[in-house]
Amino acid sequence: PTMSITQERLDRIRGKATFSSHLARSIAKNGITPIKDDPGMLKEFLGTKYTLDTGKSTNQASSGRCWIYSALNWMRTSRLKDWGKDFEYSQNYCAFWDKFERANHFLEVMCKLSTEDVNSQEVQNVLTRVFTDGGEWELFENVVLKYGLVPKYAMPETGFSGNSGGYMDILKKRLRVGGGVLHKILREAGTSVDAEVQEECDLIKDQILSEVYRILVCYLGSPPSDFLWLPPKEKKEEEKNKKTEGGEAGAEDKTKKEDAKAKDDATAVSGLTVAEKRPYQTVTPMEFLDKSLFKFGQKVHLSHLPHHPEGRKLVADVVTNMHEGKRLEAHNVSMQEIKTAVRASIKAGQPVAIMCEMRHHDRGKTLLSDDNDRTAEIFEMDADICLSKGDELLYQVTTVAHGMVLIGCDDEPTASTEDEVAAARLSSPLGPLWKVENSWKDLQYLYMTDKWFDMNCYDIGVDMQFVSEAVREQIHRENAAEPIVLPTGDPFCKI
């Protein structure tokens, strides 16, 4: 039954909503954003038993490119020892081609939906959800396998690559105009789309895409077709140089004479350094992709979306950045299966990509914990009025919002007796932790409590070899069966 706000009801609600006037004034002035970290949390408590090495910190700045940063941070671990910790792939290069391909896909989808009225939910979802800054693993794979990779110096960040709101707004509006014109032309033509109408639409598409390309070049720079690359010294070459410098073939007196001569030479020409000049190579982006040593075909996308059944493959048919490329898809499994795969991967020396929610009160924290948000406690909210993890997604309380890389973990808890539980608490006061590499410059490493991980992790990218045998069998069965095709309005499609 409906209930209007009567005076009697308003008085009753006011009576239940009593609040300290001093606290109310403080909140009105300062808000309730808590301090950076819980003062009761000692940094010495933060650590994982198994931790992988990473490169230097990266910075996505004020952009929605976390999925590109996390994927490239995952990829560079394959060459960390060879190329050094300072190496970065160009995130800007990937973002350029993502936006260009996504623009083409948007126009094609608007043409495909010409039988739908503009006010239909499907058309409205496409207008708001298809051309965005966000993404997932399949979209990254689409771009990289088609356009390759370049090092960051070959296409560095610009003043707007890390502040994408401005140019994205220009692109969105222009694409909606172009998509709207195409939608109207084809809708008016109905089933009688002749060669003349098709040619008109093709010309409009090419014109809009040329404008998109021009805008991208102006804001992000021009993507290189090749670049100069200085390959690292081969290990054999370094060992050979060390042996030569040490005078391995000579006697001790010969070594002393060579050392004396080198000293004399250095004295004769003060400050002179003689360095070996190694030639650069001209490399294309696709050739550089081959140098990455990253095995795309061995990766699998696992999700934990409780509003969908476990053991099924989920496909978002409209969500992609490449019209002919892979769609967003994942194999839906339990959180226990995800944790098992993550632990196996990290213990074997391989990081794992993760997509999760980052709630307002988690931002700026070193420890991601459900204790970060004290809103319910402050405002005396009824804890019994709540939603499950899946329902929070459905009712837009949470979203699949942020991509990072899992690089550390603890063992799975095995304590069963009270004494074992007490001993475990002494060794890990915060319980089992997970460590992630983030792409926020000042917060490269974050830790997650096990409970936070359960509630806020929605999907991972991991090598197939670390997935349990049961899930591998499930995946093979799913690939042979019809997947669950998600509507554009599904929370997983909101990227």
Side-chain angles (χ1 to χ4, degrees):
T2 59
M3 296 176 67
S4 300
I5 302 295
T6 62
Q7 186 61 50
E8 180 184 356
R9 190 179 177 206
L10 180 58
D11 292 341
R12 185 170 66 251
I13 290 171
R14 279 176 174 163
K16 294 179 66 176
T18 55
F19 202 68
S20 164
S21 59
H22 297 293
L23 186 56
R25 285 197 297 272
S26 176
I27 291 173
K29 183 177 180 180
N30 304 303
I32 60 168
T33 303
I35 58 178
K36 187 172 182 181
D37 281 311
D38 186 341
M41 185 275 296
L42 299 178
K43 288 191 176 180
E44 288 75 15
F45 291 170
L46 300 179
T48 49
K49 183 176 180 179
Y50 309 96
T51 306
L52 300 176
D53 201 6
T54 68
K56 70 173 185 179
S57 64
T58 56
N59 184 19
Q60 70 181 79
S62 300
S63 70
R65 301 174 297 163
C66 58
W67 58 286
I68 293 176
Y69 274 78
S70 63
L72 290 176
N73 284 346
W74 183 15
M75 285 191 69
R76 71 174 175 172
T77 57
S78 301
R79 301 307 304 259
L80 199 62
K81 292 181 180 178
D82 302 312
W83 296 349
K85 290 191 173 186
D86 288 338
F87 175 80
E88 283 185 65
Y89 289 107
S90 172
Q91 302 91 356
N92 191 25
Y93 178 82
C94 294
F96 183 102
W97 290 118
D98 167 64
K99 298 299 174 290
F100 184 70
E101 286 283 355
R102 205 179 291 220
N104 180 61
H105 174 60
F106 173 81
L107 295 176
E108 294 296 335
V109 172
M110 289 300 292
C111 290
K112 183 180 178 181
L113 292 176
S114 61
T115 56
E116 297 278 345
D117 185 81
V118 66
N119 292 313
S120 72
Q121 190 62 57
E122 186 66 15
V123 173
Q124 290 300 310
N125 282 336
V126 168
L127 289 170
T128 56
R129 291 193 172 191
V130 169
F131 193 82
T132 67
D133 218 10
E136 280 263 14
W137 174 248
E138 288 74 19
L139 283 66
F140 175 79
E141 187 176 0
N142 283 340
V143 167
V144 170
L145 292 184
K146 182 171 181 178
Y147 293 100
L149 293 167
V150 302
K152 191 158 191 168
Y153 66 78
M155 190 170 177
E157 294 289 290
T158 68
F160 287 91
S161 58
N163 188 16
S164 55
Y167 78 84
M168 282 294 291
D169 188 54
I170 295 172
L171 290 173
K172 284 179 182 178
K173 288 181 178 178
R174 188 57 182 154
L175 284 168
R176 286 170 183 170
V177 169
V181 170
L182 290 168
H183 187 266
K184 283 172 65 67
I185 290 173
L186 292 173
R187 188 160 176 77
E188 290 169 4
T191 56
S192 58
V193 178
D194 55 23
E196 184 178 350
V197 172
Q198 188 61 56
E199 183 180 3
E200 181 185 7
C201 288
D202 291 345
L203 288 172
I204 292 172
K205 290 177 191 176
D206 284 355
Q207 175 59 34
I208 293 295
L209 287 178
S210 69
E211 294 169 8
V212 167
Y213 194 92
R214 185 183 303 122
I215 293 167
L216 289 172
V217 167
C218 288
Y219 277 96
L220 304 182
S222 182
S225 56
D226 58 51
F227 58 92
L228 292 177
W229 167 251
L230 185 63
K233 284 185 179 180
E234 295 183 4
K235 290 182 180 179
K236 290 182 180 179
E237 183 183 345
E238 289 179 347
E239 290 172 1
K240 182 180 177 182
N241 290 341
K242 287 179 182 178
K243 290 178 181 178
T244 303
E245 291 167 4
E248 180 188 70
E252 186 177 348
D253 58 341
K254 182 179 179 181
T255 303
K256 290 180 180 179
K257 289 180 181 179
E258 290 175 347
D259 290 343
K261 184 178 183 301
K263 188 175 181 180
D264 291 340
D265 291 343
T267 304
V269 186
S270 179
L272 175 66
T273 300
V274 180
E276 178 190 3
K277 294 287 286 184
R278 289 181 291 120
Y280 283 83
Q281 297 175 353
T282 301
V283 179
T284 68
M286 293 306 294
E287 289 170 341
F288 199 61
L289 172 60
D290 291 337
K291 294 179 183 293
S292 73
L293 303 182
F294 193 79
K295 303 295 189 293
F296 278 90
Q298 297 176 5
K299 310 307 177 189
V300 62
H301 191 169
L302 302 181
S303 65
H304 180 245
L305 302 170
H307 59 291
H308 291 299
E310 291 180 9
R312 296 293 302 275
K313 182 178 181 178
L314 311 176
V315 177
D317 193 45
V318 176
V319 182
T320 182
N321 56 354
M322 193 172 292
H323 197 63
E324 74 281 10
K326 277 189 174 183
R327 269 49 183 165
L328 172 61
E329 61 180 48
H331 302 276
N332 208 35
V333 299
S334 68
M335 271 307 298
Q336 185 56 50
E337 290 288 1
I338 283 179
K339 288 181 175 181
T340 298
V342 171
R343 285 192 169 102
S345 182
I346 290 174
K347 289 179 182 180
Q350 293 195 32
V352 175
I354 177 178
M355 291 294 290
C356 58
E357 167 69 300
M358 287 291 280
R359 302 172 194 244
H360 171 71
H361 290 271
D362 292 323
R363 297 184 178 274
K365 302 294 190 303
T366 307
L367 177 66
L368 302 178
S369 164
D370 58 316
D371 289 333
N372 288 342
D373 189 354
R374 299 287 186 174
T375 307
E377 180 182 333
I378 292 170
F379 293 113
E380 301 177 24
M381 297 179 183
D382 189 339
D384 291 332
I385 302 175
C386 60
L387 292 171
S388 65
K389 180 179 179 179
D391 285 339
E392 280 193 334
L393 278 172
L394 287 171
Y395 288 96
Q396 301 183 29
V397 178
T398 59
T399 59
V400 185
H402 189 51
M404 297 184 285
V405 185
L406 281 156
I407 59 168
C409 68
D410 286 328
D411 287 320
E412 185 175 0
T414 56
S416 55
T417 67
E418 288 186 9
D419 289 342
E420 289 174 339
V421 171
R425 284 176 181 166
L426 289 175
S427 60
S428 299
L430 300 172
L433 294 178
W434 305 84
K435 186 177 182 180
V436 289
E437 181 185 13
N438 196 17
S439 52
W440 300 342
K441 185 179 181 181
D442 298 329
L443 280 173
Q444 182 179 9
Y445 302 119
L446 305 175
Y447 292 86
M448 301 183 291
T449 65
D450 203 43
K451 184 177 179 181
W452 192 96
F453 188 42
D454 281 336
M455 287 302 299
N456 295 281
C457 170
Y458 295 112
D459 53 296
I460 63 168
V462 66
D463 199 287
M464 179 71 87
Q465 65 178 306
F466 303 117
V467 174
S468 71
E469 184 62 33
V471 172
R472 283 201 294 270
E473 291 178 1
Q474 167 194 322
I475 290 171
H476 292 314
R477 287 196 306 270
E478 291 171 17
N479 288 336
E482 286 295 316
I484 297 176
V485 179
L486 304 179
T488 314
D490 189 272
F492 193 45
C493 301
K494 189 178 181 181
I495 59 174

